[in-house]
Structures are given as C-alpha cells and as structure tokens.
Amino acid sequence: MEHPLSVSDVTQAVKQTLEMQFPPMWIVGELTSFSQPSSGHRYFTLSDPQSQLRCVMWRSRPITGFRPTAGMAVLAQGQLTVYERRGEYQFNVSQLFPAGVGQQLIAYEKLKKKLSEEGLFDEDRKRPLPKYPRAIGVVTSQTGAAFRDILDVLKRRFPSVRIVLRPAQVQGLDAPEDIAQGIADFNDFGKVDVLIVGRGGGSAEDLAAFNDEEVVRAIADSEIPVISAVGHEIDMSLSDIAADVRAPTPSAAAEIAVRDVLEVREQVGRLTLRTREFMQQLLDENEDQLKAYESSYGMRRLSDLIFQNAQHVDELNRDLYALLRRLFESRLADYHRMTGKLGSLSPLSVLDRGFGLVQREDGSVVSDAGILTPREHLHIRFAKGEATCRVEKIKR
Amino acid sequence: MPKNKTEEPTFETALKQLETAVDRLEEGALPLSEALKVFEEGLKASNQCRSLLEDARQRVDVLIRNSDGEFELVSIDSNGEGFADK
C-alpha cells in the first residue's frame, strides 16, 4: 500500500488539474437559483435538463444591464475551480449576461478575433490626427445629444473649425450600413481633416452598430483619421479598436480633435514675442557693433584723416588765393608801369615843357619847313589853347 | 485635408512659418537684411494665425449626396435651431 494522501492533497491536485485542463470558457444555461447575501457575492446554479453547475460570482465583478432572476436564460464567462472546504467543483463567473446579449458577445469575440487576425486593429495602421484640423466630419444622428455635445465643445475650444455632419442612423437594423456609408461619403468628399464617428451612451443593444463588421471595416479603411466616440461603460466596441483614436464620449472626441484656442493663441503670442525680442536684440547688437566700429582706432584714424585732409585743402586754398593775389598784384603793377610809360610818350605831355605842336590845315603834323608854302595857315597847339598863324618866310 | 489643398494658408502652415522664423532668428547666423526679411515673414505669419484664431463663427454644414451622386453642403444653425429634440 502506498503512502496515503491527505484530503487536502487530493483536493489540491484535483483543483490544479481542473484549472489547467479547462481554460476560461463561456457556458450557457438556465439560472435556477440566485442569492446575494450581505457579503455582496452572488451564488447561483446553472442548469439544463440533465445537469447542474454551481456558480459563484464575486462582488468585485459587476452585473450590468439586467437583474438576474431564477428561470432566466443566461450566458456566463468564467473559470472552473474547486471550492476546497467542501471539495466541490464550481464555476467562478467573471461576466454574466442574458442569453441574447450573451450570444452577441460571443459573436463580438468571434468577429474581434477574425478582424484582429486580418490585422485591422494593428497599431501601425493608426494614423496620427492632424494637429490643427480646418474641418471636422461627424457621422452620427443629427437629432442626438452626441452631435450637440460635439458642437458645444468645438465652439468653446476652437470655434473657427468647420463642422460637417453626415447624418446617420445610429441604432436599428439600417444603422450599420448608414454609418459605414457615411464614413465612405466623407472619404469621397475629402474636404475634412478628421472624422468623429459615434453616438451617446446606450445599452449594449443600442451600441450594436458599432460592433458591426461593416462599420468596423469602414473605419479601418478610412483614409481620413477617425476618432471613435461610442458612449459605453464596459467593453470597448470594435469601432473603438479599429479607430485611430478612441474617445470615451462624443464630448471627449471633440476635445481630442482640436486644441484649446486659448492655448494656441498663447503659443502664437509667445512665438511672436520671441521674433520681436530676437529682432530687437539683433538690432541692438548691430547698433553696438556700429558704435564699436566708430570708436575703433581705424575709424578714429579715418576721421582724423578726413580732418587732416580738410585742413590740407584749406591750406591749399589759402596758398592758391595768395598766389592769385600775387599774380594779380604784379599784373596791376605792370599795368601801372605801362600806363605811366604811355603818359610820358604822349606828344601832348611835351607841350607842358613849352613846346608847341604845329599842324597844317589838313591836320598833318609839320616836322619839315620845306613842305610849307608862303602865306599858308598853320595851327599851333600849346599846353593850354592854340593859335592860328601865317607863314611869312621859309628857311630850308 | 487630403484632397483640395489650394485655398488660403491653413493655420498649421502659418504657425509653421512663424516657428521657422523664430528658429532662423534664434540661430543667429543671418545677416541683418536677411534677418529683417525673416522677421517680416514671421510677423505676417503671426497675423495670419491671429486672424484665423479670432474667427469665432461656428460654421456647421450637413453633407448631402444628391440624386446625381454629387455632394452638397447645406448650412445649419449651430445655435440649436434646426435640431429637433426627440
């Protein structure tokens, strides 16, 4: 006989085997009992006509959207384990849904896996959002609160941005096609820089369109970056995963889409101030440099040279003037000398000394008595006055 | 805007020009005449940025595809008129 095991050893071994052999799983069944003692944990049984499974769901796991009651068809996700104190195996539930929703969830997981394997959700597919979009395209209901919220936020944060709405049904059977077509329309239209696709909060069924394959593919295929804005509480929609950026609500999407105009204005102001300051600094530097040049030896030498030359020019001027003056004075002296000579040469000046000038009737001066004829009249000029005389006798 | 890039400078380009002007001035290697030119460009870009930021009108259009398959923009009042609250 081998060494006997303790009850705990066996229970532990069974627990380990069970947990390793059965990965987390979904189980569908009827809720046959449900109790929630003051601890807040829930205890219930899942059953079908042949079998029963004991379940526990800890208080920390939320149950949303419905109130579990006996007789309800449910879908539970969880992990098989062993409750050691009783040696009973049980299902440790992490999520519980009404069966209809549960089926959706299974479909969701399936689609998510498929699209994920196609690479639709890859990080390197994500496009950066434009920092300063000029126009924002919105695909949502025209009458819903989501659009109003988006407008309010944009008006406050960046009023000049243009908003283009492509109205789309966001719930109901036609919603997926309408939303997908809206995204495609914007890509054809082209004149928007970023898209916000979404709706306000709702139940899982209300948000079903954003888990639709057609919508998810349209978001992934969009050339224009997409911000998803599906208001919901628990899981991310597939639209969120496919989008370039995920926002928890439409308002948050609008916040993400644009920067706050006040911040941007401040940035522009700061940059403008910097250009002014640098320009001023540059001008100051240049002025300083100019002053430095002015006071440098070379510059002082230059101005000295200018003064030196000016002085030289003055001197030359003065010399020139003196020269001209001398020249003029010597010419004047020449003139005086010449006119003096001329005066002494004048025949009239001889008359002062008592000589007389003798002229015949025709004005010719007589210097030879031989040409005269007796009785002809001659004029004699004296220094003062003249006289007319008659030739009496001629000697040769 | 992936298509249609012909219109007035966008805020982004104007801001970029302003930043470039600041960078070039800060590098400090420009001769004065060039610096003055860059400075003027910077101020021009700054004014463009400001005028784009001062525009406080919110413009909201609805994108409609008409029967010919062409797009039309129909302006709607962003102050709430035209939004029927259900």
Side-chain angles (χ1 to χ4, degrees):
Chain A
M1 193 170 156
E2 287 176 44
H3 186 67
L5 298 168
S6 73
V7 175
S8 294
D9 288 343
V10 174
T11 307
Q12 272 300 325
V14 170
K15 182 179 161 81
Q16 274 184 19
T17 310
L18 199 66
E19 288 178 0
M20 275 161 64
Q21 288 300 310
F22 293 90
M25 65 181 88
W26 290 92
I27 299 176
V28 66
E30 190 188 328
L31 206 61
T32 45
S33 68
F34 186 91
S35 72
Q36 184 166 18
S38 57
S39 67
H41 308 311
R42 302 87 160 192
Y43 302 94
F44 50 92
T45 306
L46 283 179
S47 56
D48 61 17
Q50 284 79 39
S51 308
Q52 291 199 335
L53 175 64
R54 283 183 177 277
C55 301
V56 60
M57 190 174 184
W58 307 119
R59 189 179 52 189
S60 59
R61 302 289 189 171
I63 296 176
T64 51
F66 79 112
R67 216 174 145 73
T69 44
M72 196 180 245
V74 295
L75 195 74
Q77 192 204 26
Q79 166 81 55
L80 281 179
T81 185
V82 170
Y83 179 43
E84 296 158 46
R85 288 179 68 93
R86 282 179 187 274
E88 288 177 358
Y89 86 96
Q90 64 181 20
F91 193 46
N92 188 352
V93 177
S94 50
Q95 295 191 75
L96 187 68
F97 302 99
V101 176
Q103 299 297 345
Q104 277 180 14
L105 256 169
I106 291 172
Y108 167 95
E109 293 293 346
K110 230 171 112 182
L111 181 61
K112 182 176 176 182
K113 192 160 174 256
K114 176 177 137 187
L115 297 179
S116 174
E117 280 166 5
E118 277 184 42
L120 239 66
F121 304 142
D122 288 357
E123 279 305 311
D124 58 12
R125 282 186 62 116
K126 309 281 184 213
R127 292 141 297 193
L129 299 182
K131 236 175 159 181
Y132 305 99
R134 271 196 292 178
I136 297 176
V138 183
V139 180
T140 191
S141 160
Q142 183 164 355
T143 54
F147 187 50
R148 192 76 78 85
D149 290 347
I150 289 169
L151 288 185
D152 286 348
V153 171
L154 292 180
K155 194 176 184 75
R156 170 168 56 78
R157 276 175 75 85
F158 211 104
S160 63
V161 73
R162 288 197 68 165
I163 302 153
V164 182
L165 171 72
R166 162 59 165 80
Q169 297 179 47
V170 290
Q171 63 193 75
L173 282 179
D174 298 332
E177 195 190 334
D178 203 10
I179 296 167
Q181 186 58 51
I183 296 166
D185 280 355
F186 270 122
N187 277 277
D188 287 347
F189 177 62
K191 295 173 194 164
V192 295
D193 305 307
V194 63
L195 291 181
I196 297 176
V197 178
R199 58 157 296 159
S203 68
E205 281 154 59
D206 290 341
L207 305 174
F210 295 93
N211 285 323
D212 188 278
E213 184 169 356
E214 199 176 352
V215 173
V216 178
R217 287 192 185 280
I219 289 175
D221 288 346
S222 174
E223 278 179 42
I224 304 166
V226 176
I227 304 174
S228 76
V230 186
H232 46 67
E233 291 150 16
I234 329 159
D235 285 312
M236 281 206 273
S237 70
L238 295 182
S239 292
D240 288 331
I241 306 173
D244 299 290
V245 174
R246 182 221 164 189
T249 61
S251 303
E255 299 259 352
I256 292 167
V258 293
R259 291 182 57 194
D260 189 339
V261 75
L262 294 179
E263 278 171 32
V264 182
R265 220 175 265 166
E266 200 189 295
Q267 188 191 358
V268 170
R270 245 188 346 257
L271 286 169
T272 311
L273 188 67
R274 260 163 75 188
T275 55
R276 286 186 189 283
E277 280 174 355
F278 273 95
M279 201 58 221
Q280 190 58 52
Q281 193 187 326
L282 194 67
L283 289 173
D284 288 349
E285 278 170 13
N286 274 276
E287 200 182 322
D288 289 348
Q289 208 165 30
L290 195 63
K291 281 186 178 144
Y293 282 143
E294 277 173 1
S295 57
S296 70
Y297 178 73
M299 198 64 199
R300 275 185 288 133
R301 178 83 192 100
L302 186 65
S303 82
D304 183 45
L305 269 177
I306 291 170
F307 284 121
Q308 298 270 344
N309 277 305
Q311 201 175 346
H312 188 202
V313 169
D314 280 349
E315 277 171 10
L316 287 176
N317 268 337
R318 203 169 53 228
D319 291 352
L320 189 65
Y321 181 75
L323 187 69
L324 283 173
R325 191 176 180 82
R326 271 204 307 281
L327 210 60
F328 176 71
E329 279 168 354
S330 83
R331 283 276 178 272
L332 194 67
D334 286 351
Y335 170 74
H336 283 314
R337 212 166 46 243
M338 297 304 269
T339 49
K341 223 176 198 169
L342 213 68
S344 68
L345 286 175
S346 162
L348 298 179
S349 65
V350 190
L351 303 184
D352 290 340
R353 289 186 266 155
F355 292 94
L357 179 69
V358 183
Q359 292 169 299
R360 299 177 78 179
E361 297 266 79
D362 62 359
S364 61
V365 177
V366 182
S367 57
D368 179 2
I371 62 165
L372 298 177
T373 51
R375 293 186 133 352
E376 80 164 286
H377 287 96
L378 296 172
H379 297 285
I380 302 170
R381 280 181 76 177
F382 306 99
K384 256 183 192 162
E386 52 180 65
T388 305
C389 314
R390 201 166 62 199
V391 177
E392 293 294 341
K393 194 177 170 186
I394 300 164
K395 284 184 193 163
R396 310 244 159 119
Chain B
M1 213 156 286
K3 303 159 192 181
N4 197 344
K5 281 194 170 174
T6 51
E7 296 152 46
E8 78 278 5
T10 64
F11 178 79
E12 193 151 16
T13 29
L15 186 66
K16 189 96 217 151
Q17 281 167 355
L18 178 55
E19 284 169 344
T20 310
V22 174
D23 288 347
R24 291 194 64 195
L25 287 174
E26 283 185 353
E27 275 170 27
L30 295 175
L32 189 58
S33 63
E34 187 70 9
L36 271 169
K37 223 177 88 194
V38 172
F39 173 63
E40 275 172 20
E41 284 165 4
L43 283 194
K44 199 176 136 212
S46 162
N47 286 334
Q48 281 171 346
C49 284
R50 281 174 204 274
S51 75
L52 287 167
L53 290 177
E54 295 310 316
D55 185 1
R57 291 167 299 143
Q58 191 173 42
R59 283 174 299 176
V60 186
D61 294 306
V62 171
L63 182 68
I64 292 169
R65 194 166 221 168
N66 67 22
S67 49
D68 299 331
E70 280 165 7
F71 290 111
E72 281 175 35
L73 288 178
V74 178
S75 177
I76 53 175
D77 185 350
S78 67
N79 295 324
E81 320 252 327
F83 293 92
D85 278 320
K86 273 187 183 168

